Amino acid sequence: MPSFNNTELTSFLTENVNIMRLSTLEPEGHPYVTPVWFKYIDGAFNILGRKQNKWVENIRGETKVGACVDTSSAPYARVIIKATAEIIDDNWFGDWVSMATRYLGEEKGNEYYNATKNIGRVFIKIKPIKMISWYGSDWHPKYYEDFGRPPTAN
């Protein structure tokens, strides 16, 4: 199961409509996972939330986060992310129409953006410490050490 090279990784994170599953920590230590839209730029993930989001509140208390961006159908691909989150702006009104159209399509994305652009967002930057990626359906070679390579179907 090969890893993405840098070009493939950037392509996977910028050219598809895969959702990020962001994991934050609740005050009592339990993980809280939520799907979020993202924009990957300059090696970091920009995400937007609302002040009332539980996961935004979790980040205020603990900046360590984890995330996964993956496909749900074959050929499978995934990126597992260990990161820190930084709240850049607590009442952001910047341009995020490209994010809306990426996930909702041109027409619906513009509609949603225009209807809600005057609502301040919390702009958060997810800064990866480590990213592990892989694609395909084969096992990672480390599993062959214990069990050997599984037989192939004829």
Side-chain angles (χ1 to χ4, degrees):
M1 186 171 284
S3 297
F4 287 125
N5 64 37
N6 287 340
T7 301
E8 292 168 332
L9 179 65
T10 299
S11 175
F12 178 73
L13 295 172
T14 59
E15 296 175 7
N16 298 298
V17 293
N18 300 316
I19 297 290
M20 173 185 279
R21 288 154 185 83
L22 178 68
S23 179
T24 60
L25 291 173
E26 294 180 332
E28 66 278 0
H30 289 95
Y32 183 86
V33 180
T34 191
V36 296
W37 294 351
F38 70 90
K39 184 172 186 176
Y40 183 72
I41 186 165
D42 297 329
F45 299 87
N46 294 339
I47 62 174
L48 302 173
R50 294 182 188 89
K51 291 178 185 178
Q52 301 88 344
N53 290 133
K54 180 169 179 40
W55 60 269
V56 171
E57 201 54 43
N58 290 344
I59 289 171
R60 291 185 200 287
E62 175 56 71
T63 61
K64 294 175 186 169
V65 297
C68 175
V69 178
D70 63 345
T71 59
S72 58
S73 59
Y76 299 108
R78 46 208 81 55
V79 179
I80 307 297
I81 305 143
K82 176 181 177 180
T84 57
E86 179 185 357
I87 295 176
I88 303 297
D89 190 333
D90 208 31
N91 199 29
W92 188 76
F93 288 92
D95 181 4
W96 52 274
V97 69
S98 65
M99 197 181 293
T101 57
R102 173 184 179 186
Y103 286 100
L104 297 176
E106 197 70 29
E107 183 179 339
K108 294 289 185 189
N110 279 304
E111 280 178 27
Y112 179 67
Y113 174 77
N114 288 321
T116 65
K117 67 182 178 185
N118 294 321
I119 299 169
R121 301 297 202 272
V122 180
F123 179 178
I124 299 168
K125 187 173 289 286
I126 304 296
K127 300 175 184 176
I129 296 167
K130 182 177 184 179
M131 290 198 289
I132 300 170
S133 67
W134 64 99
Y135 60 91
S137 58
D138 197 8
W139 286 8
H140 189 281
K142 69 183 176 186
Y143 298 116
Y144 301 142
E145 295 170 10
D146 291 335
F147 304 105
R149 189 172 190 88
T152 57
N154 293 331

